[in-house]
Amino acid sequence: MLAAPHRLLENRMIRRRTLPALAAGFGAGLATPALSQGAWPNRNIRLVVPYPPGGASDIAGRLQAEALQAALGVPCVVDNRSGAGGTVGTLHVAQSPPDGYTVMMASPSSHLGAPLLFRNAGYDGVDDFTAIATFATGTAVVCVHPGVPARNIQELVAYAKANPGKLNYGSAGAGGANHMLGVLFMLRTGTELTHVPYRGAAPALADLIAGNIQVVFDSYSGVIGSIRAGQIRALGVTNPTRWPLAPDMPTVQEQGVPDYDLPSFSAVMGPKGIPEPIVRRMNEAINAGLRDPAMVRRLEANGNVPFASTPAEFDALMRAQRGTWRELVRVSGVQPEG
């Protein structure tokens, strides 16, 4: 039986609040005094994104790079190293020197899902890395085609139980977060849905709009336009508490599905063994950036909100979620590739 999902996201999520005015311009006022020669950092920091340009991880990475550069006073360069479900870039970082000059944008997919889905990933997503800081968190929305006779989660559960296996739900690919949200939904509700994997979330959404599938568990940012256009129907957000960007949208949990939570977040990790003073300095820089109203606005424009943590809190979150992902992948029956 799955353990109750970790609650750190709700405890640490930064809400909108009055902040001390910062100097004009993104990150202004965050720069630190000049460092003595030889102190960290004294050269470029490389931020690896293990996915292609243009996606959610890449957008988060470029925002994060700006914040680090502003706070630390050295260039922070985004390095897209995609391939094999994110394992190529992630393995590269795991094998890099632990000197604080090579870090990466991490996510549950790259660090918790991918090592279970690729036999030759070559890394453990928790033990082979240094947890530095969480950065932003998002949520997914349970959506159905308008032809499905369900206007809330309980009606969807009832319809699925009356028609076992006849509702098809699409995902961005086998073993990813969209897929695992569906597996968790079935576990928590005792329903049977049929999984249909696609090569990305966009084609799955297109088939939902066309009526070729009936359900998706997709990111808020990915589906909100189609929801507002009336092309699909939103039944609830997967976050345990109401999403600040859609406060009128009920959660799955408040509609009677207990312990339905699979946190979605982007974060910064580095190779195992980065010295603690460097980890602390980078964590402080990231959290300072999350207090900038300009950063908050840019995250919200992409459907996310800031999510701050200490390195210890982030490490605890990863270790708690690793067990959840292992059980979901086992239950799903997905076989590792490679």
Side-chain angles (χ1 to χ4, degrees):
M1 184 173 178
L2 292 177
H6 197 75
R7 300 298 182 187
L8 174 61
L9 279 162
E10 276 61 57
N11 295 333
R12 297 293 299 178
M13 188 182 294
I14 298 177
R15 305 296 189 188
R16 281 185 179 273
R17 59 183 181 271
T18 302
L19 298 167
L22 298 178
F26 173 72
L30 299 179
T32 56
L35 297 169
S36 60
Q37 188 173 4
W40 184 92
N42 60 12
R43 55 185 172 87
N44 291 5
I45 294 172
R46 190 160 52 100
L47 183 69
V48 174
V49 174
Y51 300 104
S57 292
D58 181 63
I59 292 171
R62 293 180 189 280
L63 288 176
Q64 182 63 91
E66 289 184 29
L68 284 173
Q69 182 166 308
L72 298 174
V74 297
C76 185
V77 181
V78 173
D79 180 5
N80 294 92
R81 288 180 177 254
S82 61
T87 61
V88 171
T90 307
L91 179 61
H92 172 77
V93 173
Q95 295 174 338
S96 296
D99 55 13
Y101 289 103
T102 299
V103 293
M104 71 174 292
M105 290 307 295
S107 68
S109 293
S110 63
H111 281 66
L112 302 177
L116 301 172
L117 300 171
F118 293 86
R119 290 190 180 91
N120 300 317
Y123 63 87
D124 181 285
V126 179
D127 295 336
D128 292 336
F129 292 85
T130 298
I132 298 172
T134 49
F135 175 59
T137 182
T139 192
V141 184
V142 183
C143 297
V144 298
H145 183 268
V148 175
R151 294 189 173 274
N152 56 53
I153 292 297
Q154 284 303 318
E155 289 180 359
L156 177 64
V157 171
Y159 186 76
K161 286 184 175 180
N163 299 274
K166 294 184 180 179
L167 285 177
N168 298 318
Y169 80 94
S171 80
N178 307 125
H179 180 193
M180 293 301 106
L181 281 166
V183 174
L184 184 61
F185 185 83
M186 289 187 281
L187 281 174
R188 295 288 187 252
T189 61
T191 55
E192 180 185 344
L193 310 177
T194 298
H195 176 232
V196 182
Y198 290 81
R199 291 186 176 275
L205 178 60
D207 258 10
L208 178 68
I209 293 170
N212 296 323
I213 57 175
Q214 292 76 48
V215 186
V216 297
F217 302 78
D218 201 357
S219 69
Y220 170 83
S221 59
V223 298
I224 188 60
S226 299
I227 293 169
R228 289 171 176 165
Q231 296 172 308
I232 58 177
R233 181 183 302 137
L235 302 187
V237 296
T238 62
N239 203 57
T241 57
R242 294 231 176 176
W243 191 238
L245 304 184
D248 294 333
M249 197 177 294
T251 71
V252 173
Q253 283 200 34
E254 72 182 79
Q255 296 182 74
V257 182
D259 297 327
Y260 187 75
D261 181 18
L262 193 66
S264 170
F265 55 87
S266 59
V268 178
M269 301 186 85
K272 181 179 180 180
I274 297 177
E276 192 276 336
I278 294 178
V279 173
R280 185 175 64 252
R281 179 87 183 280
M282 190 173 288
N283 178 273
E284 291 169 352
I286 292 168
N287 288 340
L290 293 177
R291 293 192 293 271
D292 185 346
M295 171 68 83
V296 174
R297 288 193 296 270
R298 293 173 73 182
L299 287 174
E300 290 180 348
N302 289 297
N304 297 300
V305 295
F307 173 34
S309 69
T310 66
E313 288 170 334
F314 178 25
D315 183 73
L317 172 62
M318 292 295 289
R319 293 185 184 281
Q321 287 297 306
R322 179 169 59 179
T324 298
W325 274 76
R326 282 175 174 167
E327 180 65 3
L328 288 175
V329 170
R330 183 191 68 78
V331 170
S332 74
V334 176
Q335 296 300 310
E337 299 178 14

